[in-house]
Amino acid sequence: MDLGKAEATRARHRERSAIFASAAGQPRTLFDSVRRRLVLVVLLALAPIAVLNIAQGVAQLSDAQEDARQRLLQQAVAAAGTQQNIFASTENVLYALKNVEEVRTSGPTCAATLRGATISLPFAANIGVLDAQGRVTCAALPFPGRAAGDELWWKDAMARTGFSLVGPARSPGANLDVLVGVLPLRDAAGRLEGAIALGIDISWLDNLLRQQTPPSAGIVALFSSRGQELVSNARAMSAALFQRELFQTAGQDLRSNLYDSTDPAGRHWTFATAPLGRDGLTVAFAMPSDRLFGWTFVTVAASIALPALIIVLSLAALWVAVDRIILRWLLYLRRVTAVYAQGHYGFRPTRLDAAPSEFRVLGHSVENMAFAVRHRDARLRENLAEKTALVREIHHRIKNSLQVVVSLLSLYGSGIGKSEDRRRFDQLRLRVNTLALVHRILYEANDGSQVHLRELLGELASLIEGSTDASVRITVEAQDVPLPTDMAVPLALMVVEVALNLALPQGTSPAPLVLSGSRRDDRLHLALRSGAGRWDEKGSTTDLATGFAAQLGGSLSRSDEVGGGMVVAGDFPCRMGTAPKTVQSD
């Protein structure tokens, strides 16, 4: 059962494909098809909407990137706000200690004063006073004898006139990694006398930053102008995410871009940077890209994919609709016209009752046309039958009339002796008998529009054998091919005239003649071969034979054969009438 359904489905597909099987149905150009033109129209109609949605999606993505940048910058600045407060507090403390004479001169109470300040500042690891060579002259915590004059942070700080934040460095007294806040001490002439330095505990800054911005909320880090990571809430992640070279040339350009990075687990992150405006410090803040742009990607993807989905669904629906609403009924109408073309005009296209109104109107028009063709065909058949009967009756009457003429000629010629007049009288009777023979053949033919060459030549051979005074035997070698009726009379008379113009020898044995005929490529070839006769150059029938040949559109030629005898041949156009071609038009 399933195989039968599958075969029926394949047959329907083959029939549907047969709509365009003919040369007239083949598309002449790319869009010479209803389906393709409709697809093009739908694409052109949906293209502006698709372009607009895609442009809107791109604009949304650009806006989302700007929003994400602003959001990251705000969170970065907010995360670094406490750090900036600590740096500001460090600066204020150093300026306050600068004004204390005991501290400035490293007096007896200097260490106690610095120790009290260190205890009151939770982020302070140590506070010390250094001379112009970087040697510690006073400190809150015991400081090993090593001088700071060779330290990089000391050289950086001494190159500046005011407070600076340098580092990172290792605090020997506290045994901690610190950021060093340094305030140079200068005399009234501007000469360097020394400096006051405060070490800020980096681990304390990390813990404070981690409490304010947990790693789950984002990765934040503070970088020096040399690209060194100073503070971070997750040092392992920040080391993997932030490229150090970005922070070696911290500037305004860093605030205008977003950066992408990937952690060791393969997760994508997006981060932004912002300068703090102090000592070349830069803060960076990173968040996972999927959390930052999650809904944005969905929205943009929807803006781009939705038009494509709409176009695909529209084209699929259009494809099915054209097949079910248009091609289906075109196929049915094609079947209907095929039925009408076979002459079954009584067929009614009842299935069109379920078709759209346009196809119903077209189907009724086709049905009305078939009805009109049916009536016209009936009238033509009646007229043709009447015409055929009339033509047959005419041929019959002409044949009877000619037979009466032949009888009269035989009656009046019986008293003429064997002389030249009698021979001419017999030739005249043979010509009239030839006309009567042709009309009899036309009357007896089933198809009144043609005669057969073999039958015509055979009847003529019998007539000539019985009508000439010389003993002759004619052999017919002709193809059984049809000839137009308008060729029958001149062709028969021409053959008779050629036979009469041959001077055949008198004798006891019949003179052999071969009458052959064939048709090739719309040309009729006739030949009369005589092995013993000769051509009567002065015969009166010569002009008649030539005239009938010219009436047939050809000419006669004569040639002598080796060993005696001769051949009289003719070549004539023979175009059978064909039915008018069916003209297809739109």
Side-chain angles (χ1 to χ4, degrees), residues 265-280:
R267 190 178 185 183
H268 294 281
W269 293 68
T270 302
F271 68 92
T273 60
L276 294 183
R278 176 189 292 272
D279 299 310

Side-chain angles (χ1 to χ4, degrees), residues 143-443:
F143 197 90
R146 183 169 58 89
D150 296 330
E151 297 289 340
L152 181 61
W153 63 267
W154 172 261
K155 296 178 180 179
D156 290 342
M158 295 303 101
R160 304 175 188 179
T161 58
F163 174 80
S164 60
L165 190 66
V166 295
R170 187 70 178 177
S171 174
N175 195 24
L176 295 172
D177 291 328
V178 295
L179 293 178
V180 184
V182 181
L183 180 63
L185 299 177
R186 300 181 183 275
D187 58 14
R191 291 187 296 271
L192 181 65
E193 294 180 345
I196 303 176
L198 188 152
I200 305 174
D201 187 356
I202 292 179
S203 62
W204 188 90
L205 293 176
D206 288 345
N207 291 331
L208 179 62
L209 188 60
R210 193 177 299 113
Q211 292 175 4
Q212 293 177 341
T213 307
S216 59
I219 305 300
V220 60
L222 185 66
F223 291 88
S224 68
S225 60
R226 298 180 182 275
Q228 296 172 303
E229 185 181 74
L230 304 179
V231 183
S232 175
N233 64 344
R235 288 191 174 271
M237 285 295 294
S238 63
L241 294 178
F242 302 128
Q243 296 86 5
R244 299 298 182 267
E245 60 272 10
L246 291 177
F247 307 97
Q248 292 177 356
T249 55
Q252 299 299 320
D253 57 321
L254 292 176
R255 293 180 293 178
S256 59
N257 294 319
L258 291 177
Y259 300 93
D260 295 324
S261 186
T262 305
D263 63 15
R267 190 178 185 183
H268 294 281
W269 293 68
T270 302
F271 68 92
T273 60
L276 294 183
R278 176 189 292 272
D279 299 310
L281 298 179
T282 304
V283 63
F285 193 94
M287 289 184 64
S289 299
D290 53 357
R291 191 171 70 187
L292 188 63
F293 296 104
W295 286 108
T296 301
F297 288 149
V298 172
T299 303
V300 174
S303 300
I304 297 176
L306 186 59
L309 180 61
I310 292 175
I311 291 176
V312 170
L313 293 178
S314 299
L315 294 182
L318 178 63
W319 192 273
V320 175
V322 169
D323 187 71
R324 299 296 298 171
I325 299 177
I326 299 178
L327 297 184
R328 170 188 177 188
W329 301 112
L330 287 178
L331 175 62
Y332 182 68
L333 286 173
R334 186 173 183 270
R335 295 176 183 171
V336 171
T337 55
V339 171
Y340 289 152
Q342 295 174 359
H344 303 291
Y345 300 114
F347 177 78
R348 293 192 69 256
T350 55
R351 286 181 56 185
L352 285 176
D353 294 338
S357 59
E358 293 83 359
F359 287 102
R360 289 201 304 271
V361 172
L362 181 59
H364 290 317
S365 299
V366 172
E367 188 177 5
N368 293 335
M369 181 187 67
F371 182 77
V373 171
R374 177 182 181 182
H375 282 275
R376 188 181 67 176
D377 186 61
R379 290 196 302 271
L380 290 176
R381 289 179 184 275
E382 293 175 359
N383 295 337
L384 180 61
E386 183 179 353
K387 178 182 178 181
T388 302
L390 181 61
V391 171
R392 289 170 61 88
E393 181 64 22
I394 291 174
H395 288 312
H396 181 63
R397 290 179 181 272
I398 293 175
K399 187 248 321 177
N400 291 340
S401 300
L402 292 175
Q403 286 179 348
V404 171
V405 173
V406 170
S407 298
L408 291 175
L409 291 175
S410 299
L411 179 63
Y412 288 109
S414 59
I416 301 176
K418 292 186 177 181
S419 62
E420 182 65 23
D421 293 337
R422 177 61 181 267
R423 188 177 68 83
R424 292 177 179 176
F425 197 83
D426 290 340
Q427 290 180 352
L428 177 60
R429 187 175 60 182
L430 176 59
R431 293 183 179 101
V432 176
N433 263 332
T434 300
L435 292 175
L437 171 65
V438 173
H439 283 284
R440 179 177 63 81
I441 293 175
L442 292 175
Y443 170 73

Side-chain angles (χ1 to χ4, degrees), residues 52-71:
L52 183 60
N53 282 350
I54 293 175
Q56 183 179 2
V58 173
Q60 287 179 346
L61 181 61
S62 178
D63 294 341
Q65 289 179 338
E66 180 61 24
D67 292 341
R69 188 180 70 84
Q70 295 297 333
R71 178 181 174 187

Side-chain angles (χ1 to χ4, degrees), residues 449-470:
S449 63
Q450 60 186 14
V451 295
H452 290 272
L453 179 62
R454 181 184 296 176
E455 179 185 4
L456 178 60
L457 295 183
E459 294 285 350
L460 286 175
S462 299
L463 181 62
I464 294 171
E465 286 177 354
S467 300
T468 57
D469 53 355

